[in-house]
Amino acid sequence: MSAVTVIAKKRDGGALSPEEIRWLIEGFVAGRVAGYQMAAFAMAVFLRGMTPAETAALTLAMRDSGRVAKLHGARGPKVDKHSTGGVGDKVSICLAPLLAACGVRVPMISGRGLGHTGGTLDKLEAIPGFRVDVPLSRFERLVKTHGFALIGQTADLAPADRKLYALRDVTATVESIPLITASILSKKLAEDLDALVLDVKVGRGAFMKTLPEARALARSIVSVGRAAGTRVSAVLTRMDVPLGRTVGNALETAEAFEVLLGGGPDDLVECTLALGVEMLRAGKLAKSDARAEALLRKAITSGRAAAKMEALVAAQGGDPRVVREPDRLPRAKHQSAVNATRSGVVQDIDALAIAHAALRLGAGRTRADQSIDPSVGIELVKKPGELVKRGEPLACIHAKSRSAAEAEAAAVLDAYRVGARAPRPQALVIERLRG
Ligand code: URA
């Protein structure tokens, strides 16, 4: 076998065998296959696609390029959630302790934000002292003790994905369904899961802008997951408007805690419960959706979900008081209201425009090596369907200085559409795909 023959076979539209794919990935990680050859391979896959069997082989080869967590001592089904990324998406921080409180084991390995979408790790690092750089052995112990853990990708987890993604990022080969499928699933399958629930965000604030694209990705991940022996289901959720009322790391973490304490914005609660129902069903801990939702609500009202979060924050080095006392999270020096210039009903908020404003304030990064400011962001005082009077606040900008807030005021105002008529209500959950 040689890299040239494998690349040429894919270039000419052939289907690769599992042995050819594994040989290529192992060679790439060991340094026998050069980066330029892997980039050519990625472009061949981008142009020619892959069969489900090839995608499954690629996923497993990438998973096996590193360590796979061992959670067999943990009681209960092991189920995780993966979101394709959105604006204001802090669901993981609500969902993991909530499901742990219901008896599911949630070994959650998350990523950082890049570009307009936020990352769970950045939100968690807003908690004073909280450590996400936890080795796999300690991660396994945390999951066994607390029922869940929230950590970042370790160097020994699916290293082939990290190396390949770095090449795809600079060779215009990110937007390929088989490559995205293998990238997402290789990392998730390394968590030793029984089941995975995928939140595929659809809309202008999402990676997948249209329903056909989102469906294609969801179907690919569900079928490859099944071929690899893991139950995968998907929920397609709307991402045209930011989720919840906050965008920015500390603001979002505080909002996620509100949900655990029984409050929080309706759309965030709805998204959390919808994904929680799928996770309980996938873990076979509830026989119906109604029963699953009742279990989740009980875990919140009983205080068990918040207590789970407090225990984990302490175990990962953070100050557990932040869960009930959000004032302990970093707060930006300057807050500035963005007022409505007309009276009416909020019809729309452009998630992408809000995300870009938050990014410029310092809440996110455009390059992986940039640092972020956990305290800055945007609070959406009004959401679609709500009335506003001229001169009343639509949003509040949290910034490091008055001038930084003023620089984004026009962009935030422009992201809002206020009109005479209420917008047509749109369901947050578009459809479900059960594997
Ligand atoms: N997220 C990933 O983890 N990998 C991709 O390829 C795209 C999005």
Side-chain angles (χ1 to χ4, degrees), residues 82 161 165 168 174 179-180 183-184 187 207:
H82 176 81
D161 173 60
Y165 192 88
R168 289 168 57 208
V174 169
L179 295 179
I180 298 173
S183 169
I184 291 175
K187 289 173 285 198
F207 194 48

Side-chain angles (χ1 to χ4, degrees), residues 294-346:
L295 289 173
L296 294 166
R297 288 193 185 277
K298 188 82 180 64
I300 294 174
T301 53
S302 66
R304 279 184 288 119
K308 277 274 174 207
M309 193 66 191
E310 286 170 321
L312 188 84
V313 169
Q316 289 191 222
D319 179 352
R321 293 173 298 178
V322 292
V323 176
R324 286 168 210 276
E325 298 170 34
D327 290 351
R328 292 182 182 276
L329 289 166
R331 185 168 168 79
K333 283 215 176 69
H334 189 81
Q335 281 81 40
S336 177
V338 176
N339 296 329
T341 52
R342 62 167 290 184
S343 299
V345 189
V346 174

